[in-house]
Amino acid sequence: MKYSELFEEAIRAAEFSYSKYSSFRVGAALIADDGEIFTGCNIENASFSLTNCAERTAIFKAVSAGKTKFRAIAVAGSSDGDFYRTPCVPCGACLQVISEFCGDDFIIILSDGVYKFRDFLPMRFTEDKMNLNFGGNNA
């Protein structure tokens, strides 16, 4: 699948956005290593902290279907229907979730081009940075 086609899938996913508070519709299209595509949209809530972004929706759908290896994600967002005017960059929470499953070379497709994950979160928090010695001395 071409990157432009994946971006179009993201735009189609934004049609299902539940964004009655911000009117900012976001769609994401995630392609797994086996070629299967998972889409997601943003789902807002009156308690804004409970809102879920399109990127995380797509990833959670994929993981709940047994997929944990991914090639690329396309993200499209707009409040006026012009999904090409301004790139919709994944937020920090979405980038952290992406980092759980994807490496530095993971592809992120926005309206203005194609990027690598490392362009957005070069010093991410990963499992190897955790010190989980619950049983005793942390020395």
Side-chain angles (χ1 to χ4, degrees):
M1 172 172 273
K2 295 178 183 177
Y3 293 150
S4 59
E5 293 171 338
L6 196 62
F7 189 77
E8 290 296 322
E9 287 287 328
I11 292 173
R12 280 190 283 285
E15 292 177 19
F16 299 102
S17 169
Y18 181 78
S19 51
K20 73 183 229 177
Y21 303 103
S22 73
S23 298
F24 189 72
R25 297 178 302 134
V26 181
L30 175 73
I31 188 165
D33 271 358
D34 65 1
E36 189 171 355
I37 295 172
F38 295 87
T39 60
C41 62
N42 59 320
I43 304 166
E44 294 181 348
N45 189 283
S47 174
F48 287 144
S49 64
L50 299 178
T51 294
N52 199 56
C53 299
E55 301 92 311
R56 285 182 280 148
T57 300
I59 291 169
F60 296 160
K61 284 171 64 177
V63 172
S64 68
K67 310 291 179 168
T68 57
K69 296 188 184 325
F70 309 109
R71 290 184 205 166
I73 192 166
V75 183
S78 173
S79 59
D80 65 3
D82 184 352
F83 290 95
Y84 290 94
R85 182 179 342 169
T86 304
C88 183
V89 178
C91 74
C94 288
L95 291 171
Q96 184 59 43
V97 170
I98 291 169
S99 77
E100 183 71 20
F101 301 100
C102 305
D104 287 340
D105 291 330
F106 177 72
I107 300 294
I108 298 176
I109 304 155
L110 304 179
S111 63
D112 68 343
V114 177
Y115 300 88
K116 300 275 180 131
F117 178 75
R118 69 172 150 260
D119 297 327
F120 294 97
L121 198 62
M123 297 181 66
R124 61 194 178 160
F125 182 76
T126 56
E127 179 181 2
D128 62 324
K129 293 181 177 67
M130 296 173 70
N131 182 3
L132 298 178
N133 185 353
F134 294 116
N137 189 350
N138 286 331

